[in-house]
Structures are given as C-alpha cells and as structure tokens.
Amino acid sequence: MATIEECRAALDKLSDSMGSAEGDVRAAASMDRSVSCHITDLDVTFAGRLAGGRIRVAQTHPGPPREKAQIRLAMKGDDLVALVDGELHFARAWGSGRVRLEAGLRDLFTLRKLL
C-alpha cells in the first residue's frame, strides 16, 4: 500500500508533467479549478487548485473531501502511483471503477485531453 508521502510525491510528479506539456494537453492543464483527490485506502484527501498548468496542493486532511471541489478524484494510493508512473491506463481504471472522476460536463471534455 502506498504511503501518504508516496501519494503526495505522485501528485507532485503529475503536476511537473502537466507543467511541461505542450499543445492540447497544455491548454487543458491551464484550467483554473479547485481539485480534490481522496485516497480511499488511506482515508486522506489532498485538496488544492489546478491553475497555471500545475496542481498546487494546499491542504492534506484525514477523511473524505471537506468541500466539493470542481474536479474530484478518488482512488487507492497504489492506483494513483501506478497512473502517474504510466503503469495503469486512466480510461481502463475509470471504466472499471478503480478511479472515480467527478466534474462538470465542460470540465470533463477538457480533462479528456489530459487523461
């Protein structure tokens, strides 16, 4: 099972990748939205903001998200690490229910370029 530190490192790595992206991916990453990522097996939530092509985690707290973010992710820690490392395909993980993604319809269309 991934640790909180490994999950935070995975989110930082994802943010770095998004920051160096180009084209459609860079345009999608430049959204300005609140974000939460609930790590279900650790019962911890990382909350922050997607802005300027990066994810900035502002809070880490126990339990589910305290506020409804505009983009909400939920998954096990190992799945987060595997997604960021390229070992788990997002669409398959989402389709099988291993990863939950909730957002407004317009945001989902934009996010598909990232995922």
Side-chain angles (χ1 to χ4, degrees):
M1 177 172 21
T3 65
I4 292 174
E5 293 78 20
E6 290 169 324
C7 292
R8 176 62 192 254
L11 288 171
D12 288 343
K13 183 177 177 181
L14 176 61
S15 180
D16 291 343
S17 296
M18 290 170 46
S20 63
E22 296 181 7
D24 286 344
V25 174
R26 183 167 188 82
S30 67
M31 297 169 49
D32 185 3
R33 300 287 186 270
S34 58
V35 177
S36 67
C37 182
H38 183 222
I39 307 301
T40 56
D41 56 336
L42 299 174
D43 197 27
V44 67
T45 297
F46 297 94
R49 192 140 201 98
L50 169 62
R54 300 190 63 82
I55 298 170
R56 300 189 197 306
V57 176
Q59 300 175 356
T60 303
H61 56 82
R66 294 180 180 162
E67 297 177 14
K68 186 176 179 180
Q70 292 167 304
I71 299 171
R72 300 166 303 281
L73 290 161
M75 68 194 80
K76 291 183 178 179
D78 288 340
D79 289 338
L80 173 62
V81 172
L83 280 169
V84 172
D85 287 343
E87 298 168 7
L88 180 62
H89 189 267
F90 181 84
R92 284 188 216 124
W94 188 33
S96 69
R98 289 174 66 178
V99 173
R100 286 192 328 255
L101 169 64
E102 298 175 9
L105 187 58
R106 198 156 89 188
D107 288 343
L108 286 173
F109 281 122
T110 303
L111 287 170
R112 69 182 164 87
K113 296 172 187 169
L114 286 174
L115 309 170

